Amino acid sequence: GAVVSQHPSRVICKSGTSVKIECRSLDFQATTMFWYRQFPKQSLMLMATSNEGSKATYEQGVEKDKFLINHASLTLSTLTVTSAHPEDSSFYICSANQRRYDEQYFGPGTRLTVT
Amino acid sequence: AQSVTQPDIHITVSEGASLELRCNYSYGATPYLFWYVQSPGQGLQLLLKYFSGDTLVQGIKGFEAEFKRSQSSFNLRKPSVHWSDAAEYFCAVGASGTYKYIFGTGTRLKVLA
């Protein structure tokens, strides 16, 4: 149980375009989802926390207009990188949480490359 | 403020040797503690977790960790390392109620044949 999927696993896009990454909880309802960013050989940095039906809470230094997060249902959150630039190239990982438990379940990650 | 420190950036051990990866945390209350492993290009796999109770926690793949409140530590151990254990290991602290994690910087494990 507690499986989280991400789609796509890899994406290459051109500079200036937008890319959407989906995060789904497959067998549970995720009241909260988290989006992380991981640069090569570095740790995970929390970008934002999203609760179903409400606006995401962004961590300090994360541009909310660039990284649009939508948590429209209890099983789906999306991260849209708008007007992507090469410096946005990174590994993006989502996780999901059931509110009554304090554990996050992580997706397999999405490798974004902006050319 | 909460923080997690993994003092060792890289560790190299021989196959069959014992392993200990260090993790120190700073948190005002009893934390929720986690160890994750990440292979290159992959997501995170949970090795073990501590919420409460017995301070010695058993995990998957033969790993264990001990919560020591007096030392603010949650070190990961394995008695005999296998070549397949080579990966990046992350310690994380979770805050009750916020459900947010703070990750350590990671320790990259290399295993010599």
Side-chain angles (χ1 to χ4, degrees), chain A residues 34 38 43 59 103-104, chain B residues 32 38 49 99-101 104:
Chain A
F34 304 86
Q38 185 180 32
S43 187
E59 296 296 303
E103 181 175 350
Q104 295 181 26
Chain B
Y32 299 143
Q38 185 181 36
K49 60 190 176 186
Y99 317 107
K100 293 170 68 171
Y101 285 10

Side-chain angles (χ1 to χ4, degrees), chain B residues 27-50:
Chain B
Y27 185 61
T30 300
Y32 299 143
L33 296 161
F34 307 85
W35 273 101
Y36 288 89
V37 62
Q38 185 181 36
S39 297
Q42 303 296 313
L44 299 179
Q45 182 180 23
L46 178 67
L47 288 175
L48 46 77
K49 60 190 176 186
Y50 173 79

Side-chain angles (χ1 to χ4, degrees), chain B residues 5-67:
Chain B
T5 302
Q6 292 182 246
D8 305 304
I9 298 174
H10 293 97
I11 282 186
T12 300
V13 299
S14 298
E15 190 171 19
S18 63
L19 172 70
E20 183 170 32
L21 302 182
R22 295 183 290 166
C23 173
N24 293 96
Y25 67 90
S26 174
Y27 185 61
T30 300
Y32 299 143
L33 296 161
F34 307 85
W35 273 101
Y36 288 89
V37 62
Q38 185 181 36
S39 297
Q42 303 296 313
L44 299 179
Q45 182 180 23
L46 178 67
L47 288 175
L48 46 77
K49 60 190 176 186
Y50 173 79
F51 282 4
S52 65
D54 193 345
T55 56
L56 184 62
V57 181
Q58 301 297 321
I60 63 171
K61 302 185 178 186
F63 286 94
E64 67 175 27
E66 186 170 12
F67 170 56

